[in-house]
Amino acid sequence: MIERIRVIGIGMGDPGHVTGEATRALATVDAFLVADKGDAKSDLVAARDAVCDALIPADHAYRVVEVTDPRRGPDAERDAAAYDRGVRDWHAARVEAYAVVIDGLADGETTVGFLVWGDPAFYDSTIRVVDALVERYAAAGVRVEHDVIAGISAPQLLAARHRIPLNRIGAPIHITTGRRLLDEYDPSLGDVVVMLDGHLACAELAGAYPDLELWWGAYLGTPDEQLVHGRLADVVDEVRRVRAEARERHGWVMDTYLLRPPAGAPERPGPPPFPETEPLTDGVVTVRPLTAADWEVVRDEHNNEESLRWDFAGEPLTDEDARRKTAAARLEWRRGRAARFVMTDAESGQGAGVIGIMRMGPPGTGLVGYGVLPAFRGRGFTTRALRLVSKWALEDAGLARLELGHKVGNEASGRVAAKAGFRAEGRLSGRLPNPDGTRSDEIYYSLTREAPAATGPAEPGEPTEPNGPTDRPAG
Ligand SMILES: C[S@@+](CC[C@H](N)C(=O)[O-])C[C@H]1O[C@@H](n2cnc3c(N)ncnc32)[C@H](O)[C@@H]1O
Protein backbone atom coordinates (compact mmCIF):
# COMPACT_ATOMS: atom_id res chain seq x y z
CA MET A 1 0.00 0.00 0.00
CA ILE A 2 1.51 3.29 -1.10
CA GLU A 3 2.65 5.74 1.62
CA ARG A 4 5.47 7.72 0.09
CA ILE A 5 6.85 8.70 -3.31
CA ARG A 6 10.46 9.80 -3.66
CA VAL A 7 11.80 11.60 -6.73
CA ILE A 8 15.53 11.01 -6.78
CA GLY A 9 18.00 12.82 -9.04
CA ILE A 10 20.78 10.40 -9.99
CA GLY A 11 23.09 12.67 -11.95
CA MET A 12 24.42 11.69 -15.35
CA GLY A 13 24.56 7.96 -14.86
CA ASP A 14 27.85 7.56 -13.07
CA PRO A 15 27.26 6.26 -9.52
CA GLY A 16 29.88 8.80 -8.45
CA HIS A 17 27.43 11.59 -9.29
CA VAL A 18 24.80 10.45 -6.83
CA THR A 19 24.77 12.58 -3.70
CA GLY A 20 24.89 11.11 -0.20
CA GLU A 21 21.31 12.19 0.37
CA ALA A 22 20.17 10.46 -2.82
CA THR A 23 22.13 7.33 -1.86
CA ARG A 24 20.32 7.16 1.47
CA ALA A 25 16.98 7.72 -0.26
CA LEU A 26 17.65 4.91 -2.77
CA ALA A 27 17.97 2.47 0.13
CA THR A 28 14.44 3.28 1.34
CA VAL A 29 12.60 2.51 -1.91
CA ASP A 30 10.61 -0.71 -2.30
CA ALA A 31 9.62 -0.28 -5.93
CA PHE A 32 11.22 1.91 -8.57
CA LEU A 33 8.89 2.85 -11.37
CA VAL A 34 10.75 3.45 -14.58
CA ALA A 35 9.43 4.46 -17.94
CA ASP A 36 10.18 1.87 -20.58
CA LYS A 37 10.89 3.95 -23.67
CA GLY A 38 11.75 1.03 -25.95
CA ASP A 39 15.35 0.05 -26.46
CA ALA A 40 16.52 3.18 -28.28
CA LYS A 41 18.24 4.45 -25.18
CA SER A 42 19.29 1.18 -23.61
CA ASP A 43 22.60 2.77 -22.57
CA LEU A 44 20.58 4.99 -20.24
CA VAL A 45 18.76 2.01 -18.77
CA ALA A 46 22.11 0.29 -18.19
CA ALA A 47 23.47 3.43 -16.50
CA ARG A 48 20.44 3.62 -14.24
CA ASP A 49 20.76 -0.07 -13.29
CA ALA A 50 24.46 0.48 -12.55
CA VAL A 51 23.54 3.24 -10.09
CA CYS A 52 21.09 0.97 -8.25
CA ASP A 53 23.50 -1.98 -8.21
CA ALA A 54 26.36 0.14 -6.94
CA LEU A 55 24.53 2.10 -4.28
CA ILE A 56 21.67 0.07 -2.85
CA PRO A 57 22.87 -2.25 -0.05
CA ALA A 58 22.63 -5.92 -0.95
CA ASP A 59 20.32 -6.64 2.00
CA HIS A 60 17.72 -4.12 0.87
CA ALA A 61 15.06 -5.78 -1.28
CA TYR A 62 13.60 -3.71 -4.09
CA ARG A 63 12.16 -4.23 -7.48
CA VAL A 64 12.21 -2.22 -10.66
CA VAL A 65 8.88 -2.03 -12.46
CA GLU A 66 9.05 -0.98 -16.06
CA VAL A 67 5.98 0.95 -17.10
CA THR A 68 5.41 1.23 -20.80
CA ASP A 69 5.70 4.90 -21.67
CA PRO A 70 2.69 6.20 -23.57
CA ARG A 71 3.62 7.17 -27.10
CA ARG A 72 4.13 10.83 -27.95
CA GLY A 73 3.54 12.13 -31.44
CA PRO A 74 6.36 13.83 -33.35
CA ASP A 75 7.19 17.35 -32.06
CA ALA A 76 8.89 18.79 -35.07
CA GLU A 77 5.96 20.10 -37.03
CA ARG A 78 3.77 21.10 -34.07
CA ASP A 79 3.14 24.69 -33.13
CA ALA A 80 3.66 25.75 -29.49
CA ALA A 81 0.02 25.21 -28.47
CA ALA A 82 -0.15 21.75 -30.02
CA TYR A 83 3.18 20.93 -28.41
CA ASP A 84 1.93 21.96 -24.93
CA ARG A 85 -1.29 20.03 -25.43
CA GLY A 86 0.64 16.97 -26.59
CA VAL A 87 2.90 17.07 -23.52
CA ARG A 88 -0.07 17.50 -21.17
CA ASP A 89 -1.91 14.54 -22.69
CA TRP A 90 1.25 12.51 -22.43
CA HIS A 91 1.62 13.40 -18.73
CA ALA A 92 -1.99 12.43 -18.06
CA ALA A 93 -1.46 9.07 -19.77
CA ARG A 94 1.70 8.54 -17.70
CA VAL A 95 -0.17 9.26 -14.46
CA GLU A 96 -2.76 6.63 -15.35
CA ALA A 97 -0.11 4.06 -16.26
CA TYR A 98 1.78 4.60 -12.97
CA ALA A 99 -1.42 4.51 -10.91
CA VAL A 100 -2.20 1.05 -12.27
CA VAL A 101 1.17 -0.21 -11.00
CA ILE A 102 0.90 1.56 -7.64
CA ASP A 103 -2.56 0.13 -7.05
CA GLY A 104 -1.05 -3.32 -7.52
CA LEU A 105 1.78 -2.92 -4.96
CA ALA A 106 2.18 -5.69 -2.40
CA ASP A 107 1.20 -4.94 1.23
CA GLY A 108 4.79 -4.41 2.38
CA GLU A 109 5.66 -2.12 -0.51
CA THR A 110 5.04 1.37 0.83
CA THR A 111 7.72 3.52 -0.80
CA VAL A 112 7.85 4.15 -4.51
CA GLY A 113 10.85 5.81 -6.14
CA PHE A 114 11.31 7.60 -9.44
CA LEU A 115 14.89 7.83 -10.67
CA VAL A 116 15.46 11.04 -12.56
CA TRP A 117 18.33 11.57 -14.95
CA GLY A 118 20.34 14.59 -13.78
CA ASP A 119 18.29 16.83 -11.53
CA PRO A 120 14.48 16.67 -11.37
CA ALA A 121 14.29 20.46 -11.71
CA PHE A 122 15.70 20.59 -15.24
CA TYR A 123 13.37 19.74 -18.10
CA ASP A 124 11.92 16.70 -16.49
CA SER A 125 8.23 15.98 -15.98
CA THR A 126 8.53 13.57 -13.05
CA ILE A 127 7.67 16.15 -10.37
CA ARG A 128 4.54 17.19 -12.28
CA VAL A 129 3.53 13.57 -12.75
CA VAL A 130 4.12 12.83 -9.06
CA ASP A 131 2.08 15.90 -8.03
CA ALA A 132 -0.78 14.56 -10.14
CA LEU A 133 -0.44 11.11 -8.56
CA VAL A 134 -0.45 12.58 -5.03
CA GLU A 135 -3.56 14.58 -5.90
CA ARG A 136 -5.23 11.56 -7.43
CA TYR A 137 -4.69 9.53 -4.23
CA ALA A 138 -5.74 12.44 -2.01
CA ALA A 139 -9.02 12.63 -3.94
CA ALA A 140 -9.52 8.96 -3.07
CA GLY A 141 -8.77 9.66 0.62
CA VAL A 142 -5.23 8.22 0.58
CA ARG A 143 -2.49 10.52 1.88
CA VAL A 144 0.81 10.02 0.03
CA GLU A 145 3.92 11.90 1.17
CA HIS A 146 6.48 12.88 -1.41
CA ASP A 147 9.91 14.45 -1.57
CA VAL A 148 12.49 15.43 -4.16
CA ILE A 149 16.22 14.76 -3.91
CA ALA A 150 18.54 16.90 -6.04
CA GLY A 151 21.05 15.47 -8.51
CA ILE A 152 23.83 16.80 -10.71
CA SER A 153 22.32 18.20 -13.90
CA ALA A 154 23.76 18.31 -17.41
CA PRO A 155 24.49 22.07 -17.32
CA GLN A 156 26.36 21.65 -14.03
CA LEU A 157 28.45 18.85 -15.44
CA LEU A 158 29.07 20.79 -18.65
CA ALA A 159 30.46 23.68 -16.60
CA ALA A 160 32.56 21.38 -14.42
CA ARG A 161 34.05 19.50 -17.35
CA HIS A 162 34.98 22.73 -19.12
CA ARG A 163 36.13 24.17 -15.78
CA ILE A 164 34.04 27.33 -16.15
CA PRO A 165 31.29 29.07 -14.22
CA LEU A 166 28.05 29.28 -16.21
CA ASN A 167 27.57 32.96 -15.51
CA ARG A 168 29.76 36.02 -15.73
CA ILE A 169 30.19 38.06 -12.56
CA GLY A 170 26.78 39.08 -11.21
CA ALA A 171 25.12 38.29 -14.57
CA PRO A 172 22.13 36.05 -15.25
CA ILE A 173 22.03 32.66 -16.97
CA HIS A 174 19.29 31.95 -19.47
CA ILE A 175 18.44 28.26 -19.83
CA THR A 176 16.38 27.25 -22.81
CA THR A 177 15.68 24.51 -25.32
CA GLY A 178 16.94 24.05 -28.86
CA ARG A 179 13.32 24.39 -29.97
CA ARG A 180 13.16 27.96 -28.68
CA LEU A 181 16.71 29.17 -29.26
CA LEU A 182 16.35 30.80 -32.66
CA ASP A 183 13.15 32.61 -31.73
CA GLU A 184 14.43 34.06 -28.51
CA TYR A 185 18.18 34.47 -28.98
CA ASP A 186 19.47 37.96 -28.34
CA PRO A 187 22.94 38.76 -27.01
CA SER A 188 21.28 40.80 -24.26
CA LEU A 189 20.27 37.47 -22.70
CA GLY A 190 23.93 37.07 -21.74
CA ASP A 191 24.98 33.49 -21.09
CA VAL A 192 22.57 31.01 -22.67
CA VAL A 193 22.52 27.30 -21.82
CA VAL A 194 20.75 25.11 -24.37
CA MET A 195 19.29 21.70 -23.63
CA LEU A 196 17.02 19.35 -25.57
CA ASP A 197 18.45 20.38 -28.90
CA GLY A 198 18.02 17.62 -31.45
CA HIS A 199 19.21 19.75 -34.36
CA LEU A 200 22.12 21.83 -33.06
CA ALA A 201 20.14 25.06 -33.37
CA CYS A 202 23.20 27.16 -32.53
CA ALA A 203 24.60 26.36 -35.99
CA GLU A 204 21.99 28.73 -37.38
CA LEU A 205 23.26 31.53 -35.14
CA ALA A 206 26.81 31.24 -36.46
CA GLY A 207 26.16 33.56 -39.41
CA ALA A 208 24.68 36.37 -37.35
CA TYR A 209 26.80 35.88 -34.23
CA PRO A 210 30.06 34.21 -35.33
CA ASP A 211 32.00 35.46 -32.29
CA LEU A 212 29.84 33.78 -29.68
CA GLU A 213 31.90 31.47 -27.51
CA LEU A 214 30.57 27.91 -27.46
CA TRP A 215 31.16 25.29 -24.79
CA TRP A 216 29.58 22.06 -25.96
CA GLY A 217 29.39 18.67 -24.24
CA ALA A 218 27.80 15.35 -25.15
CA TYR A 219 27.39 12.10 -23.18
CA LEU A 220 28.69 14.01 -20.18
CA GLY A 221 29.61 11.77 -17.30
CA THR A 222 29.81 8.65 -19.47
CA PRO A 223 32.88 6.97 -20.94
CA ASP A 224 31.93 8.53 -24.31
CA GLU A 225 32.02 12.09 -23.06
CA GLN A 226 32.83 14.64 -25.80
CA LEU A 227 33.77 18.27 -25.28
CA VAL A 228 34.30 21.07 -27.78
CA HIS A 229 35.08 24.69 -27.00
CA GLY A 230 35.75 27.66 -29.24
CA ARG A 231 34.40 30.53 -31.30
CA LEU A 232 31.02 29.47 -32.65
CA ALA A 233 31.83 30.02 -36.32
CA ASP A 234 35.17 28.19 -35.94
CA VAL A 235 33.94 25.08 -34.14
CA VAL A 236 30.41 24.56 -35.33
CA ASP A 237 31.44 22.20 -38.13
CA GLU A 238 33.51 20.13 -35.73
CA VAL A 239 30.55 19.86 -33.35
CA ARG A 240 28.31 18.83 -36.24
CA ARG A 241 30.75 16.11 -37.24
CA VAL A 242 31.31 14.79 -33.69
CA ARG A 243 27.59 14.78 -33.12
CA ALA A 244 26.83 12.92 -36.34
CA GLU A 245 29.47 10.26 -35.59
CA ALA A 246 28.13 9.81 -32.07
CA ARG A 247 24.57 9.51 -33.30
CA GLU A 248 25.74 6.86 -35.73
CA ARG A 249 27.39 4.87 -32.92
CA HIS A 250 24.67 5.18 -30.25
CA GLY A 251 21.51 5.84 -32.23
CA TRP A 252 20.91 8.94 -30.09
CA VAL A 253 22.76 11.94 -28.82
CA MET A 254 22.48 13.83 -25.53
CA ASP A 255 24.25 17.14 -25.62
CA THR A 256 24.07 20.52 -23.99
CA TYR A 257 25.97 23.74 -24.51
CA LEU A 258 26.67 27.24 -23.33
CA LEU A 259 26.73 30.27 -25.65
CA ARG A 260 28.48 33.35 -24.31
CA PRO A 261 28.83 36.73 -26.04
CA PRO A 262 32.53 37.55 -26.51
CA ALA A 263 34.26 39.63 -23.86
CA GLY A 264 34.05 43.32 -24.56
CA ALA A 265 31.10 42.91 -26.92
CA PRO A 266 28.38 45.49 -26.34
CA GLU A 267 25.85 43.94 -24.01
CA ARG A 268 23.23 44.26 -26.70
CA PRO A 269 22.98 45.74 -30.14
CA GLY A 270 20.94 48.87 -30.60
CA PRO A 271 20.85 52.27 -29.02
CA PRO A 272 22.68 53.24 -25.84
CA PRO A 273 20.68 53.34 -22.61
CA PHE A 274 19.05 56.64 -21.71
CA PRO A 275 21.21 58.34 -19.07
CA GLU A 276 20.07 58.20 -15.46
CA THR A 277 18.49 61.40 -14.23
CA GLU A 278 17.45 63.02 -11.00
CA PRO A 279 13.91 64.42 -10.94
CA LEU A 280 13.60 67.47 -13.23
CA THR A 281 11.64 70.41 -11.87
CA ASP A 282 10.75 74.03 -12.53
CA GLY A 283 9.31 74.47 -9.04
CA VAL A 284 5.72 73.89 -10.17
CA VAL A 285 5.95 70.57 -12.00
CA THR A 286 8.42 67.79 -11.30
CA VAL A 287 9.02 64.93 -13.72
CA ARG A 288 10.84 61.83 -12.58
CA PRO A 289 11.45 58.41 -14.19
CA LEU A 290 8.33 56.25 -14.03
CA THR A 291 8.50 53.37 -11.55
CA ALA A 292 6.29 50.38 -10.80
CA ALA A 293 4.74 52.39 -7.96
CA ASP A 294 3.22 54.84 -10.49
CA TRP A 295 0.86 52.35 -12.11
CA GLU A 296 -2.29 54.09 -10.92
CA VAL A 297 -1.28 57.34 -12.62
CA VAL A 298 -0.69 55.43 -15.86
CA ARG A 299 -4.06 53.69 -15.55
CA ASP A 300 -5.99 56.85 -14.67
CA GLU A 301 -4.37 58.95 -17.37
CA HIS A 302 -5.27 56.33 -19.95
CA ASN A 303 -8.76 55.52 -18.75
CA ASN A 304 -10.42 58.91 -18.48
CA GLU A 305 -12.98 59.81 -21.10
CA GLU A 306 -10.90 62.38 -22.97
CA SER A 307 -7.85 60.15 -23.24
CA LEU A 308 -9.91 57.22 -24.49
CA ARG A 309 -11.50 59.50 -27.07
CA TRP A 310 -8.12 60.11 -28.73
CA ASP A 311 -6.72 56.63 -28.13
CA PHE A 312 -5.97 54.30 -31.04
CA ALA A 313 -8.08 51.45 -29.70
CA GLY A 314 -10.31 53.23 -27.16
CA GLU A 315 -9.81 50.33 -24.76
CA PRO A 316 -9.29 50.99 -21.05
CA LEU A 317 -6.16 49.62 -19.38
CA THR A 318 -6.73 46.98 -16.72
CA ASP A 319 -4.85 47.29 -13.44
CA GLU A 320 -2.71 44.40 -14.60
CA ASP A 321 -1.88 46.15 -17.91
CA ALA A 322 -0.92 49.32 -16.07
CA ARG A 323 1.24 47.39 -13.62
CA ARG A 324 2.99 45.54 -16.42
CA LYS A 325 3.64 48.73 -18.31
CA THR A 326 5.12 50.58 -15.38
CA ALA A 327 7.16 47.56 -14.33
CA ALA A 328 8.72 47.45 -17.81
CA ALA A 329 9.64 51.15 -17.78
CA ARG A 330 12.98 50.66 -16.06
CA LEU A 331 14.10 48.04 -18.56
CA GLU A 332 12.97 50.15 -21.52
CA TRP A 333 15.01 53.01 -20.10
CA ARG A 334 18.12 50.89 -19.73
CA ARG A 335 17.66 49.42 -23.18
CA GLY A 336 17.42 52.92 -24.62
CA ARG A 337 13.97 52.23 -26.06
CA ALA A 338 11.87 54.69 -24.07
CA ALA A 339 12.39 57.22 -21.30
CA ARG A 340 9.07 57.37 -19.47
CA PHE A 341 8.40 59.92 -16.75
CA VAL A 342 5.63 60.56 -14.32
CA MET A 343 4.55 64.20 -14.05
CA THR A 344 3.92 65.32 -10.49
CA ASP A 345 2.74 68.43 -8.70
CA ALA A 346 6.04 69.76 -7.30
CA GLU A 347 4.38 70.95 -4.11
CA SER A 348 2.27 67.97 -3.15
CA GLY A 349 4.16 65.24 -5.02
CA GLN A 350 0.83 64.01 -6.37
CA GLY A 351 0.90 62.23 -9.74
CA ALA A 352 -0.49 64.52 -12.45
CA GLY A 353 0.16 62.65 -15.67
CA VAL A 354 2.70 60.89 -17.83
CA ILE A 355 5.19 62.02 -20.42
CA GLY A 356 7.86 60.12 -22.26
CA ILE A 357 10.09 59.75 -25.26
CA MET A 358 10.34 56.69 -27.46
CA ARG A 359 13.49 56.28 -29.45
CA MET A 360 12.47 55.37 -32.96
CA GLY A 361 13.17 56.08 -36.59
CA PRO A 362 16.53 57.56 -37.58
CA PRO A 363 19.25 57.63 -34.90
CA GLY A 364 19.00 60.62 -32.57
CA THR A 365 15.26 60.98 -33.02
CA GLY A 366 12.71 60.64 -30.23
CA LEU A 367 8.93 60.56 -30.35
CA VAL A 368 7.23 62.37 -27.48
CA GLY A 369 3.90 61.49 -25.92
CA TYR A 370 2.07 63.00 -22.96
CA GLY A 371 -1.20 62.92 -21.10
CA VAL A 372 -2.45 64.75 -18.01
CA LEU A 373 -5.06 63.67 -15.45
CA PRO A 374 -8.37 65.61 -15.59
CA ALA A 375 -7.77 67.25 -12.18
CA PHE A 376 -4.57 68.87 -13.45
CA ARG A 377 -5.79 70.14 -16.81
CA GLY A 378 -5.85 73.83 -17.68
CA ARG A 379 -2.95 74.63 -15.32
CA GLY A 380 -0.02 74.59 -17.72
CA PHE A 381 1.31 71.31 -16.27
CA THR A 382 1.86 69.53 -19.56
CA THR A 383 3.63 72.45 -21.18
CA ARG A 384 5.97 72.70 -18.21
CA ALA A 385 6.62 68.96 -18.23
CA LEU A 386 7.22 68.97 -21.98
CA ARG A 387 9.77 71.76 -21.63
CA LEU A 388 11.62 69.95 -18.86
CA VAL A 389 11.72 66.64 -20.69
CA SER A 390 12.63 68.19 -24.07
CA LYS A 391 15.55 70.10 -22.56
CA TRP A 392 16.79 66.94 -20.87
CA ALA A 393 16.41 64.90 -24.07
CA LEU A 394 18.28 67.38 -26.26
CA GLU A 395 20.93 68.47 -23.79
CA ASP A 396 21.56 65.41 -21.64
CA ALA A 397 20.20 62.34 -23.42
CA GLY A 398 21.95 62.89 -26.74
CA LEU A 399 18.88 63.25 -28.93
CA ALA A 400 19.05 65.72 -31.81
CA ARG A 401 15.42 65.91 -32.80
CA LEU A 402 12.12 65.40 -30.98
CA GLU A 403 8.87 64.76 -32.79
CA LEU A 404 5.29 64.63 -31.64
CA GLY A 405 1.92 64.55 -33.25
CA HIS A 406 -1.77 64.64 -32.49
CA LYS A 407 -4.92 63.73 -34.27
CA VAL A 408 -6.55 66.50 -36.26
CA GLY A 409 -9.10 68.07 -33.92
CA ASN A 410 -7.07 67.62 -30.75
CA GLU A 411 -6.12 71.26 -30.82
CA ALA A 412 -5.31 71.64 -27.14
CA SER A 413 -2.53 69.11 -27.57
CA GLY A 414 -1.12 71.21 -30.41
CA ARG A 415 -1.18 74.32 -28.18
CA VAL A 416 0.99 72.53 -25.62
CA ALA A 417 3.47 71.60 -28.34
CA ALA A 418 3.62 75.13 -29.68
CA LYS A 419 4.02 76.69 -26.22
CA ALA A 420 6.88 74.33 -25.50
CA GLY A 421 8.65 75.53 -28.66
CA PHE A 422 7.74 72.74 -31.10
CA ARG A 423 7.13 73.79 -34.72
CA ALA A 424 4.26 72.37 -36.74
CA GLU A 425 5.75 70.58 -39.73
CA GLY A 426 2.82 69.22 -41.61
CA ARG A 427 -0.17 66.99 -41.83
CA LEU A 428 0.30 63.25 -42.34
CA SER A 429 -2.68 61.62 -44.04
CA GLY A 430 -4.47 58.73 -42.35
CA ARG A 431 -1.54 57.99 -40.04
CA LEU A 432 -3.40 57.35 -36.80
CA PRO A 433 -5.99 54.62 -36.22
CA ASN A 434 -9.30 55.31 -34.49
CA PRO A 435 -11.28 52.87 -32.33
CA ASP A 436 -14.02 52.60 -34.99
CA GLY A 437 -11.59 51.33 -37.62
CA THR A 438 -11.25 54.65 -39.47
CA ARG A 439 -7.98 56.60 -39.54
CA SER A 440 -7.22 60.23 -38.73
CA ASP A 441 -4.70 62.63 -40.17
CA GLU A 442 -1.93 63.65 -37.81
CA ILE A 443 -0.53 67.13 -37.25
CA TYR A 444 3.20 66.68 -36.80
CA TYR A 445 5.65 68.86 -34.84
CA SER A 446 9.35 68.87 -34.17
CA LEU A 447 11.92 70.45 -31.92
CA THR A 448 15.62 70.25 -32.74
CA ARG A 449 18.75 70.94 -30.76
CA GLU A 450 19.37 74.07 -32.76
CA ALA A 451 15.97 75.53 -31.83
CA PRO A 452 15.67 75.07 -28.07
CA ALA A 453 12.37 74.94 -26.25
CA ALA A 454 10.51 78.13 -25.44
CA THR A 455 10.98 79.53 -21.97
CA GLY A 456 7.92 81.80 -21.71
CA PRO A 457 5.13 81.23 -19.21
CA ALA A 458 3.09 78.07 -19.54
CA GLU A 459 -0.31 79.66 -19.55
CA PRO A 460 -3.43 77.81 -18.73
CA GLY A 461 -5.48 76.50 -21.63
CA GLU A 462 -3.43 73.43 -22.22
CA PRO A 463 -4.78 70.16 -23.40
CA THR A 464 -8.05 68.98 -22.24
CA GLU A 465 -6.90 66.13 -24.41
CA PRO A 466 -3.66 64.21 -24.34
CA ASN A 467 -1.51 63.78 -27.41
CA GLY A 468 -1.05 60.18 -26.36
CA PRO A 469 1.42 58.76 -23.92
CA THR A 470 4.69 57.37 -25.09
CA ASP A 471 3.52 54.07 -26.44
CA ARG A 472 1.33 55.69 -29.03
CA PRO A 473 3.09 58.10 -31.33
CA ALA A 474 0.31 60.62 -31.07
CA GLY A 475 -3.25 60.97 -29.96
C1 LIG B 1 14.89 15.67 -20.66
S1 LIG B 1 16.28 16.68 -20.36
C2 LIG B 1 16.72 16.13 -18.80
C3 LIG B 1 17.72 17.00 -18.13
C4 LIG B 1 18.14 16.47 -16.77
N1 LIG B 1 17.03 16.42 -15.83
C5 LIG B 1 19.28 17.28 -16.18
O1 LIG B 1 19.19 17.66 -15.01
O2 LIG B 1 20.25 17.51 -16.88
C6 LIG B 1 17.44 15.95 -21.43
C7 LIG B 1 18.49 16.94 -21.91
O3 LIG B 1 19.48 17.07 -20.92
C8 LIG B 1 20.75 17.18 -21.50
N2 LIG B 1 21.54 16.02 -21.10
C9 LIG B 1 21.12 15.00 -20.36
N3 LIG B 1 22.11 14.12 -20.17
C10 LIG B 1 23.19 14.62 -20.78
C11 LIG B 1 24.53 14.18 -20.93
N4 LIG B 1 24.94 13.05 -20.39
N5 LIG B 1 25.36 14.97 -21.64
C12 LIG B 1 24.96 16.12 -22.18
N6 LIG B 1 23.71 16.57 -22.07
C13 LIG B 1 22.83 15.84 -21.38
C14 LIG B 1 20.52 17.21 -23.00
O4 LIG B 1 20.40 18.55 -23.41
C15 LIG B 1 19.23 16.50 -23.13
O5 LIG B 1 18.55 16.86 -24.30
Side-chain angles (χ1 to χ4, degrees):
M1 172 77 168
I2 180 84
E3 288 176 10
R4 173 151 79 147
I5 302 180
R6 313 199 75 170
V7 178
I8 305 170
I10 58 165
M12 299 281 103
D14 179 337
H17 293 168
V18 183
T19 67
E21 186 187 20
T23 304
R24 287 191 296 279
L26 288 172
T28 66
V29 172
D30 301 309
F32 291 101
L33 303 196
V34 299
D36 173 7
K37 301 182 185 214
D39 57 8
K41 296 193 178 173
S42 55
D43 313 22
L44 297 186
V45 176
R48 193 193 60 215
D49 291 348
V51 164
C52 290
D53 291 348
L55 299 176
I56 299 178
D59 59 357
H60 175 74
Y62 67 91
R63 59 191 181 109
V64 176
V65 184
E66 303 230 342
V67 182
T68 307
D69 213 25
R71 282 194 64 77
R72 253 174 94 182
D75 291 337
E77 60 285 352
R78 301 193 208 187
D79 64 19
Y83 179 82
D84 285 354
R85 214 171 31 249
V87 171
R88 268 201 307 275
D89 292 349
W90 180 54
H91 285 175
R94 272 185 149 185
V95 170
E96 287 315 308
Y98 289 136
V100 169
V101 177
I102 292 173
D103 289 343
L105 288 176
D107 279 352
E109 292 178 320
T110 57
T111 301
V112 161
F114 286 89
L115 300 174
V116 174
W117 193 254
D119 184 279
F122 286 83
Y123 293 111
D124 187 274
S125 50
T126 310
I127 293 176
R128 278 182 279 270
V129 168
V130 168
D131 285 345
L133 278 169
V134 169
E135 246 176 61
R136 188 180 193 281
Y137 283 98
V142 179
R143 182 172 143 58
V144 179
E145 282 178 31
H146 70 296
D147 61 358
V148 176
I149 320 284
I152 294 176
S153 68
Q156 286 173 288
L157 203 53
L158 175 79
R161 292 297 194 251
H162 280 287
R163 297 177 293 177
I164 53 163
L166 285 179
N167 67 296
R168 285 167 303 168
I169 298 171
I173 307 166
H174 182 82
I175 302 181
T176 191
T177 64
R179 192 183 162 81
R180 300 180 65 106
L181 182 69
L182 297 184
D183 284 340
E184 66 193 16
Y185 186 73
D186 182 290
S188 67
L189 291 172
D191 285 3
V192 175
V193 173
V194 184
M195 301 175 76
L196 288 166
D197 185 356
H199 304 283
L200 197 65
C202 67
E204 290 185 53
L205 294 178
Y209 304 104
D211 294 328
L212 288 178
E213 201 168 354
L214 172 73
W215 283 270
W216 177 84
Y219 309 98
L220 293 162
T222 76
D224 275 326
E225 189 167 280
Q226 308 267 4
L227 301 174
V228 175
H229 167 225
R231 181 177 169 267
L232 179 61
D234 295 343
V235 298
V236 71
D237 285 338
E238 181 189 350
V239 172
R240 256 200 212 104
R241 181 181 50 74
V242 174
R243 240 178 153 258
E245 285 168 8
R247 195 190 283 280
E248 187 76 6
R249 264 198 320 279
H250 296 263
W252 55 277
V253 69
M254 280 266 214
D255 61 349
T256 188
Y257 53 89
L258 170 70
L259 292 168
R260 172 170 294 168
E267 226 180 68
R268 41 165 197 82
F274 281 105
E276 298 299 326
T277 177
E278 295 297 314
L280 310 169
T281 188
D282 63 3
V284 176
V285 169
T286 299
V287 293
R288 57 170 171 74
L290 191 73
T291 69
D294 299 313
W295 68 273
E296 284 165 305
V297 183
V298 168
R299 179 197 60 192
D300 296 345
E301 184 284 319
H302 183 99
N303 288 356
N304 70 80
E305 204 180 315
E306 278 303 310
S307 298
L308 288 173
R309 182 171 154 221
W310 298 105
D311 188 45
F312 294 159
E315 292 288 339
L317 281 187
T318 63
D319 288 4
E320 199 188 325
D321 294 335
R323 283 199 161 99
R324 222 184 350 248
K325 219 169 136 169
T326 44
R330 188 80 202 113
L331 185 61
E332 289 184 302
W333 192 294
R334 268 190 277 117
R335 292 201 161 183
R337 288 193 191 139
R340 297 185 194 277
F341 296 84
V342 63
M343 224 187 264
T344 63
D345 179 343
E347 202 177 303
S348 66
Q350 212 185 333
V354 289
I355 182 164
I357 302 174
M358 272 193 296
R359 201 194 293 269
M360 51 193 317
T365 306
L367 186 61
V368 182
Y370 44 76
V372 67
L373 293 175
F376 291 89
R377 286 187 185 146
R379 294 162 56 177
F381 264 56
T382 314
T383 303
R384 288 174 179 279
L386 182 56
R387 285 182 187 162
L388 290 166
V389 168
S390 301
K391 187 167 176 328
W392 171 81
L394 297 175
E395 292 180 8
D396 300 333
L399 294 180
R401 175 183 158 91
L402 298 176
E403 301 179 358
L404 67 82
H406 63 77
K407 282 184 185 171
V408 163
N410 185 356
E411 277 148 23
S413 183
R415 281 199 295 277
V416 166
K419 277 190 212 149
F422 281 72
R423 283 175 306 270
E425 289 200 321
R427 178 172 176 138
L428 309 181
S429 311
R431 183 156 189 267
L432 303 177
N434 298 313
D436 64 1
T438 61
R439 298 186 78 91
S440 287
D441 290 357
E442 180 177 27
I443 308 297
Y444 220 65
Y445 300 78
S446 78
L447 181 69
T448 57
R449 228 183 251 159
E450 292 68 40
T455 51
E459 300 122 42
E462 69 167 273
T464 52
E465 303 94 2
N467 92 319
T470 46
D471 58 350
R472 32 186 217 266

